[in-house]
Amino acid sequence: AVVSTQSTGISDHTLLTFAMFRSLVLVLVLSAVVAKDVTILTIDKLNAGRKGPPYDSTAIVLNLADDAKLIDVMNKAQNEGTFSFDYTMHHLWGAYITTVNGLYADSTTKQYWQILGGPRMKPTQLGASSYVPADQEKVLFRLVTWNREPCPDPTEDTTLY
């Protein structure tokens, strides 16, 4: 429908300004609803025993989908060149992180990359393929060893038949 600005007394400039303002508000509202930011931190020293600074690396990943999993955050950071990682994929457990920023966790010496997150920076109950960090969350990768009986190798199928 065509609206005559002469009959309403509204100038073309005012209509254009209003339309641009409305579009800007819509973009801002949508980006606030569907975007989150996550920070990836690393501690490379084996069994450092700390969760706080100093960190060996920090990667701030912006404008992620609200439902982005940690693996999505990591992939975006890797694509941006601020973080690197490698993993093996297990059909039941998902991605098992083997390397962070070029540092390999040697499972033969019981090393692994522990993932900590949440408001209290605790070990996550889910791996990188399933964990969904919150907006503004800091996620820490810390190189550690396990002290008990070795955990099952995540690259092997341990399904009982």
Side-chain angles (χ1 to χ4, degrees):
V2 176
V3 177
S4 169
T5 56
Q6 292 177 351
S7 64
T8 61
I10 300 172
S11 72
D12 288 338
H13 177 72
T14 302
L15 286 174
L16 181 60
T17 301
F18 175 74
M20 288 173 46
F21 177 75
R22 189 179 73 187
S23 296
L24 177 63
V25 168
L26 183 60
V27 166
L28 291 174
V29 167
L30 288 176
S31 67
V33 170
V34 297
K36 69 179 175 184
D37 304 333
V38 175
T39 301
I40 300 172
L41 307 166
T42 65
I43 296 177
D44 299 345
K45 182 180 178 195
L46 183 63
N47 296 321
R50 62 183 167 82
K51 299 184 277 188
Y55 300 110
D56 293 297
S57 69
T58 301
I60 300 170
V61 188
L62 305 174
N63 299 318
L64 296 151
D66 190 48
D67 61 349
K69 293 177 173 58
L70 180 55
I71 196 79
D72 302 322
V73 178
M74 296 165 67
N75 278 319
K76 184 170 184 190
Q78 185 158 266
N79 290 338
E80 293 173 350
T82 59
F83 179 79
S84 68
F85 72 101
D86 201 2
Y87 64 95
T88 57
M89 185 59 81
H90 187 273
H91 71 281
L92 296 175
W93 298 323
Y96 178 76
I97 308 305
T98 57
T99 306
V100 170
N101 292 335
L103 187 56
Y104 177 71
D106 185 359
S107 62
T108 64
T109 59
K110 301 182 179 181
Q111 295 177 6
Y112 71 100
W113 283 103
Q114 184 181 44
I115 305 170
L116 296 92
R120 295 184 181 187
M121 194 59 78
K122 299 276 186 185
T124 61
Q125 297 300 307
L126 299 170
S129 299
S130 302
Y131 185 69
V132 179
D135 183 33
Q136 302 301 314
E137 184 169 341
K138 292 179 174 137
V139 177
L140 173 64
F141 285 86
R142 180 169 73 171
L143 188 61
V144 297
T145 57
W146 65 82
N147 295 322
R148 295 181 219 90
E149 287 299 310
C151 296
D153 183 357
T155 60
E156 294 179 9
D157 188 357
T158 58
T159 306
L160 298 176
Y161 295 98

